[in-house]
Amino acid sequence: MAAPNKKHDRPTTGHSWDGIEEFDNPMPRWWLWTFYATIIWAVVYWILFPAWPLINGATAGVLGYSSRQDVEAEMVAVDEANAGWYQRLLDTDLNAIAEDPELQRFAVNAGAAIFRAQCSQCHGAGADGLRPGSGFPNLLDDEWMWGGTTEDIVQTVTYGIRNEDFPDARYSQMPSFGADGILSDEEITQVVNHVLNISGQAHDAALAEAGAEVFDLNCSSCHGVDGEGDQMQGAPALNNAIWLYGGSEADITASVQVAHFGVMPGFADRLSDAQIRAVASYVHQLGGGQ
């Protein structure tokens, strides 16, 4: 007589597929004890550490641990370690920082970190102004609307441009020649062709010749007779290939019709004087500092 099939003596889950049944075997004891241990550990963790979210925070835990406090302590330690260097930055003339290799190295490294945290959102991680025509200046070239010396950069970073937070913010405003009815559409077309001409771009010669007079009467007082710009007024040069809001005929026409009003925040209330000197030193050495 053949031995009985023992598999039918064991309970099953009731599932069957193509004649294959699933046994209802108990979980291994080691697995169950591990599972129970994780539950116990979770309960202990809830008691000891911050765990349960509340409306305005979370349960503190009996140990009083706070990752935020750890970060704050680390920041204090870093600030204390750098305090001497920052004091040297304050005590050293701006133009002499680059003459001290160690201090310059610290200023550039510290300034790079500050730039990435505070400035890269607008000027780009590489300080290239994100993209041409974006309205965010490229800090790698030698074209500066408000001056590119270290002192100039410190002034700009400290108070910003055209913002209402600081009375000492740099300020200038180009008229909206089209929207305000200062120039006719024909005159705008003429002056745009003149700008295309002095910037070395394709243009209509007859319109550019007429636009030279329009430019002289309406634009040269800020942008210069030859379109060289004026850093005292923050008026950009128009006789090169560097454009803040784009240099195509359509872009220039739009700028003349309705002037742009870019605003840069001041950082006097966000950064210390030493940090501003550090970021100015970093920007100045990128390649375009004057």
Side-chain angles (χ1 to χ4, degrees), residues 171-207:
Y171 193 95
S172 65
Q173 174 62 61
M174 172 179 167
S176 295
F177 288 97
D180 293 340
I182 301 173
L183 297 176
S184 66
D185 290 343
E186 180 182 7
E187 289 173 319
I188 290 176
T189 301
Q190 292 171 346
V191 78
V192 167
N193 273 272
H194 172 69
V195 173
L196 291 171
N197 178 28
I198 63 177
S199 60
Q201 302 185 71
H203 62 281
D204 184 297
L207 291 174

Side-chain angles (χ1 to χ4, degrees), residues 60-84:
V62 298
L63 295 181
Y65 172 78
S66 170
S67 58
R68 183 182 296 273
Q69 291 178 358
D70 285 352
V71 172
E72 291 176 350
E74 291 177 3
M75 292 175 64
V76 169
V78 171
D79 289 341
E80 290 176 350
N82 291 333

Side-chain angles (χ1 to χ4, degrees), residues 103-168:
L103 185 59
Q104 172 72 353
R105 188 181 306 113
F106 170 79
V108 170
N109 289 332
I114 296 167
F115 184 92
R116 286 191 292 269
Q118 302 287 341
C119 315
S120 62
Q121 296 86 347
C122 294
H123 292 286
D128 57 357
L130 294 180
R131 65 185 184 279
S134 65
F136 301 116
N138 182 344
L139 304 179
L140 302 178
D141 57 37
D142 199 28
E143 187 67 26
W144 295 88
M145 290 178 61
W146 296 96
T149 67
T150 308
E151 292 93 337
D152 292 329
I153 299 171
V154 166
Q155 171 78 7
T156 300
V157 174
T158 302
Y159 302 115
I161 298 171
R162 303 187 191 94
N163 68 73
E164 299 178 355
D165 297 329
F166 299 101
D168 293 328

Side-chain angles (χ1 to χ4, degrees), residues 1-272:
M1 176 181 291
N5 189 343
K6 297 295 184 181
K7 75 175 185 178
H8 294 293
D9 298 336
R10 299 165 64 180
T12 67
T13 63
H15 301 156
S16 177
W17 181 261
D18 198 21
I20 301 173
E21 297 181 353
E22 179 183 355
F23 289 130
D24 188 14
N25 293 324
M27 299 296 296
R29 287 184 178 275
W30 67 266
W31 193 97
L32 285 174
W33 285 115
T34 301
F35 178 65
Y36 297 147
T38 61
I39 295 175
I40 295 172
W41 166 247
V43 174
V44 172
Y45 189 97
W46 293 342
I47 296 172
L48 297 179
F49 298 96
W52 290 96
L54 304 175
I55 296 177
N56 295 319
T59 54
V62 298
L63 295 181
Y65 172 78
S66 170
S67 58
R68 183 182 296 273
Q69 291 178 358
D70 285 352
V71 172
E72 291 176 350
E74 291 177 3
M75 292 175 64
V76 169
V78 171
D79 289 341
E80 290 176 350
N82 291 333
W85 287 103
Y86 278 124
Q87 188 59 49
R88 283 181 62 181
L89 271 179
L90 290 175
D91 295 340
T92 304
D93 184 88
L94 281 171
N95 295 318
I97 292 175
E99 299 173 3
D100 185 333
E102 288 187 342
L103 185 59
Q104 172 72 353
R105 188 181 306 113
F106 170 79
V108 170
N109 289 332
I114 296 167
F115 184 92
R116 286 191 292 269
Q118 302 287 341
C119 315
S120 62
Q121 296 86 347
C122 294
H123 292 286
D128 57 357
L130 294 180
R131 65 185 184 279
S134 65
F136 301 116
N138 182 344
L139 304 179
L140 302 178
D141 57 37
D142 199 28
E143 187 67 26
W144 295 88
M145 290 178 61
W146 296 96
T149 67
T150 308
E151 292 93 337
D152 292 329
I153 299 171
V154 166
Q155 171 78 7
T156 300
V157 174
T158 302
Y159 302 115
I161 298 171
R162 303 187 191 94
N163 68 73
E164 299 178 355
D165 297 329
F166 299 101
D168 293 328
R170 299 186 184 278
Y171 193 95
S172 65
Q173 174 62 61
M174 172 179 167
S176 295
F177 288 97
D180 293 340
I182 301 173
L183 297 176
S184 66
D185 290 343
E186 180 182 7
E187 289 173 319
I188 290 176
T189 301
Q190 292 171 346
V191 78
V192 167
N193 273 272
H194 172 69
V195 173
L196 291 171
N197 178 28
I198 63 177
S199 60
Q201 302 185 71
H203 62 281
D204 184 297
L207 291 174
E209 183 178 356
E213 183 177 354
V214 179
F215 185 91
D216 185 58
L217 293 174
N218 295 275
C219 314
S220 62
S221 58
C222 293
H223 293 285
V225 175
D226 298 318
E228 69 275 12
D230 184 358
Q231 293 181 354
M232 293 296 295
Q233 303 182 67
L238 305 177
N239 58 0
N240 57 31
I242 299 175
W243 299 93
L244 190 59
Y245 293 100
S248 70
E249 182 174 0
D251 291 331
I252 300 171
T253 300
S255 296
V256 176
Q257 286 279 1
V258 180
H260 299 283
F261 191 77
V263 176
M264 173 183 167
F267 289 86
D269 56 353
R270 309 185 197 186
L271 302 175
S272 67

